[in-house]
Amino acid sequence: MVVASTGQGESRPPRFLRLAGHPLRWRLLRELAHSDRRVGELSELAGRRQSLVSYHLRQLRDGGLVSMRRSAADARDTYYAVDLTRCGELLQSTGAALHPGLTATAPPRSEPGAPLARVLFLCTGNSARSQIAEALCEQLSDGAVEAVSAGSHPKPLHPNAVRVMRERGIDISGRRPKHLDEFVAGRFDYVISLCDRVREVCPEFPGGPELIHWSVPDPAREAGSDRETLPAFERTASELCTRIRFLTEEVTARDR
């Protein structure tokens, strides 16, 4: 029997497959999809030498799948994070490269009802990042997630946090800063630290919630006037919006 050629000739697999298809790199991507990690933590989780993990992290960085940031708690440390949006785009294009019918479709959302999960967002001051995250989670989850926020050293709500959320149609001006001690006896499904410093002092919570770390820079530490630092708050809100969108998809997917 003669098999007809497609006429396309041989070609290498898409780069995403070559990057993510390596067992160790796939393990690293899966760990980073759950939480931002330091290289030492990834080495321990994967059971591989730190030098080997660093090499493969560099491959993922060069491929645009992973980024790195210096820790705000200890500048000698670096946190790695996966770009889930980029991974999703590459997955979709990879499927289309094999066959145009293999395109990703969004899963159906759960019907509105009782919250499926409780989430606590933590940062140092509870004046910007965690307040923004709390409000975005309420909006993006359509009631699927009950969100609260707190800080290890609460400070008044930053006016730029109020401004960037107002631009997104959310008024947080009446919210108060809260100390994390208010919630140490509470039960949560997820406790998400947004600050490298607060991660180091995060207490234990009853019930064994999933502990997740997102290494998000503090926009309030940017130098300049409120007007000059407003773009930093906008970047923070955009990053948190992306991360929370994936979190809510995870929560609703577990309920299906």
Side-chain angles (χ1 to χ4, degrees):
M1 183 179 75
V2 177
V3 179
S5 170
T6 61
Q8 296 177 352
E10 293 186 3
S11 61
R12 298 185 70 190
R15 192 177 185 196
F16 179 81
L17 287 183
R18 304 198 305 272
L19 282 170
H22 186 281
L24 179 53
R25 290 197 287 266
W26 179 250
R27 175 67 186 273
L28 297 177
L29 286 173
R30 284 183 58 84
E31 293 293 348
L32 293 174
H34 175 72
S35 176
D36 296 0
R37 299 285 189 184
R38 294 171 289 207
V39 64
E41 294 171 326
L42 290 168
S43 177
E44 183 177 349
L45 288 166
R48 300 296 185 91
R49 299 190 314 274
Q50 188 164 315
S51 59
L52 182 63
V53 169
S54 295
Y55 169 80
H56 286 288
L57 284 171
R58 179 59 182 267
Q59 300 297 307
L60 293 172
R61 286 178 55 211
D62 290 346
L65 303 184
V66 166
S67 62
M68 59 182 287
R69 283 175 175 157
R70 288 291 179 187
S71 169
D74 186 343
R76 294 171 297 180
D77 278 334
T78 298
Y79 277 100
Y80 289 86
V82 64
D83 187 340
L84 288 174
T85 299
R86 179 63 176 157
C87 287
E89 293 170 349
L90 291 174
L91 274 171
Q92 187 166 9
S93 62
T94 296
L98 182 61
H99 190 280
L102 296 176
T103 55
T105 56
R109 299 297 296 269
S110 298
E111 292 296 323
L116 304 175
R118 296 192 74 221
V119 179
L120 172 62
F121 293 102
L122 298 175
C123 68
T124 302
N126 193 218
S127 62
R129 288 168 292 182
S130 55
Q131 294 277 8
I132 291 172
E134 176 186 351
L136 286 172
C137 195
E138 291 171 351
Q139 181 192 59
L140 295 172
S141 71
D142 292 327
V145 178
E146 179 185 346
V148 292
S149 67
S152 58
H153 297 79
K155 297 186 296 186
L157 197 61
H158 198 289
N160 275 347
V162 176
R163 291 187 182 100
V164 297
M165 294 310 293
R166 185 177 294 128
E167 291 174 359
R168 293 171 178 267
I170 305 174
D171 182 10
I172 65 170
S173 60
R175 303 194 182 206
R176 66 178 180 89
K178 305 170 290 294
H179 196 283
L180 62 82
D181 285 351
E182 292 188 32
F183 301 100
V184 291
R187 289 187 174 269
F188 298 93
D189 299 285
Y190 302 86
V191 174
I192 302 178
S193 54
L194 307 176
C195 167
D196 300 336
R197 292 184 175 88
V198 83
R199 186 192 189 201
E200 304 300 326
V201 299
C202 185
E204 292 187 9
F205 290 85
E210 288 194 42
L211 302 179
I212 298 174
H213 181 57
W214 296 344
S215 183
V216 180
D218 184 1
R221 294 178 66 87
E222 293 281 326
S225 65
D226 284 354
R227 179 179 295 274
E228 291 170 332
T229 60
L230 185 60
F233 284 81
E234 292 170 342
R235 289 193 297 271
T236 296
S238 294
E239 177 175 347
L240 288 172
C241 185
T242 298
R243 288 181 181 259
I244 289 168
R245 179 168 56 83
F246 282 106
L247 174 69
T248 57
E249 290 294 341
E250 176 184 344
V251 170
T252 54
R254 288 185 177 186
D255 185 60
R256 286 193 290 270

